[in-house]
Amino acid sequence: MPRPILVTSALPNANGAPHFGHLVGAYLPADVYVRYQRLLGADVAFLCGTDEHGVAITMGAEQEGVSYQEYVDRWHRVWLQSCEDLRIEFDNFLQTSRRDPHYALSQEFFLRLLKNGHLQRREIRQLYSPGMKRFLADRYVVGTCYRCGYESARGDECPKCGSWLETTKLIDPKSRLDPSDKLELRDSWQYELDLAPFAEDPQIKPWLTALRGRLKVNVRKFVFDKMIEGEGLEARPITRDLPWGVPLPRTDLDGNNLGDVEGKVLYV
Ligand SMILES: [Zn+2]
């Protein structure tokens, strides 16, 4: 029996064309490795695809005035054609906005985390855009960082001081799509992934400490501040009120209704 090997590369976002760095950094090395293993007789599956959800994509489509599906389909074709032109040959180059198999797998991960007690439903206040008649996910919002005073902080993090931010605490928050829109605070709820217990795993601290010298400076600072020396990991929301994404399942693994999940999507 030939040795079975699965090879994949980071999924490119479906919101722009590939550039040289993508190809050199991710897809060409994988393709070389796949060809090498096939020459040795291995049974290789080379899988990749475009990542088609997220705020960069919804904003891109909204700014162009096309549907989300049209937008991601177009960039998917550009990626696929570019890879084919360069003879980077995937066995399958998928789209995460297509139901099969991405939706079912994502929902299953969510449901297992829920069943095993890693998710909590939390009532929150969120910024709502009266102009767009919907909640604004964190990255739709810019404002002044409440930690360092930087004026162009994103709703989820400050590029100046590197802090994770709570969107509703931003000073003078504005919609990136329409800065004149008068944003309001309204009630909603999201599921949060409770990360703190994972940092307490007895294997993880020795492992990270051993890796210390090999981590990039910004990664090392983040990891060590959070997990080794500092404040610990906070729970992070993994769902959003967004019109585009993998919908939350309606029932849990035991068949219990999860309530009004209309308009809620999974979000990394
Ligand atoms: Zn800041």
Side-chain angles (χ1 to χ4, degrees):
M1 275 283 283
R3 180 173 168 225
I5 300 177
L6 170 66
V7 178
T8 184
S9 296
L11 304 193
N13 275 305
N15 70 340
H19 58 69
F20 199 61
H22 286 125
L23 298 165
V24 171
Y27 308 104
L28 189 61
D31 188 69
V32 169
Y33 180 73
V34 167
R35 287 168 192 271
Y36 170 71
Q37 286 295 341
R38 284 190 174 136
L39 284 173
L40 296 182
D43 175 19
V44 185
F46 185 21
L47 306 182
C48 198
T50 35
D51 182 350
E52 304 190 337
H53 295 128
V55 170
I57 284 165
T58 51
M59 286 184 82
E62 283 154 11
Q63 280 163 349
E64 274 190 23
V66 298
S67 77
Y68 304 128
Q69 193 71 60
E70 268 178 81
Y71 184 82
V72 297
D73 285 351
R74 181 194 346 133
W75 288 118
H76 178 82
R77 283 193 300 274
V78 169
W79 270 88
L80 191 58
Q81 189 60 52
S82 303
C83 289
E84 279 174 12
D85 289 348
L86 290 159
R87 296 198 53 210
I88 292 171
E89 291 165 2
F90 299 105
D91 292 303
N92 209 334
F93 192 75
L94 300 160
Q95 296 185 260
T96 61
S97 71
R98 299 291 171 184
R99 304 191 69 82
D100 192 27
H102 187 70
Y103 279 28
L105 277 173
S106 307
Q107 290 173 337
E108 192 185 329
F109 283 133
F110 170 84
L111 290 171
R112 284 207 223 163
L113 286 168
L114 185 65
K115 187 172 174 83
N116 291 324
H118 300 302
L119 302 181
Q120 273 84 43
R121 188 177 140 147
R122 201 177 108 190
E123 308 296 320
I124 53 162
R125 306 262 282 158
Q126 257 181 202
L127 289 168
Y128 181 87
S129 156
M132 294 175 76
K133 294 192 174 51
R134 69 178 211 221
F135 284 107
L136 291 186
D138 40 24
R139 289 184 60 190
Y140 273 88
V141 180
V142 287
T144 299
C145 174
Y146 52 86
R147 299 216 165 164
C148 75
Y150 180 63
E151 284 175 6
S152 306
R154 287 172 16 182
D156 57 344
E157 90 181 328
C158 174
K160 180 98 182 278
C161 69
S163 305
W164 279 349
L165 300 178
E166 286 189 45
T167 318
T168 52
K169 290 194 194 161
L170 279 182
I171 301 158
D172 197 19
K174 294 204 165 16
S175 163
R176 283 172 67 180
L177 292 179
D178 178 7
S180 69
D181 204 358
K182 278 261 170 237
L183 304 184
E184 298 169 3
L185 275 174
R186 291 201 185 177
D187 294 325
S188 182
W189 58 268
Q190 305 297 347
Y191 278 103
E192 291 194 331
L193 177 60
D194 187 11
L195 290 165
F198 295 105
E200 298 310 316
D201 182 294
Q203 291 181 38
I204 201 140
K205 286 184 186 179
W207 181 71
L208 286 169
T209 306
L211 274 180
R212 184 173 194 134
R214 287 163 55 193
L215 297 174
K216 279 164 54 176
V217 174
N218 59 334
V219 175
R220 183 164 67 221
K221 181 173 174 354
F222 184 83
V223 168
F224 279 77
D225 280 359
K226 287 282 177 194
M227 294 185 64
I228 311 282
E229 284 143 9
E231 48 209 273
L233 293 177
E234 300 139 41
R236 298 292 293 171
I238 62 157
T239 60
R240 294 287 190 283
D241 293 292
L242 272 179
W244 179 243
V246 177
L248 252 68
R250 300 200 165 271
T251 55
D252 70 14
L253 287 173
D254 300 315
N256 301 310
N257 200 310
L258 290 179
D260 181 18
V261 296
E262 198 61 45
K264 306 262 185 216
V265 299
L266 299 177
Y267 195 92
V268 182

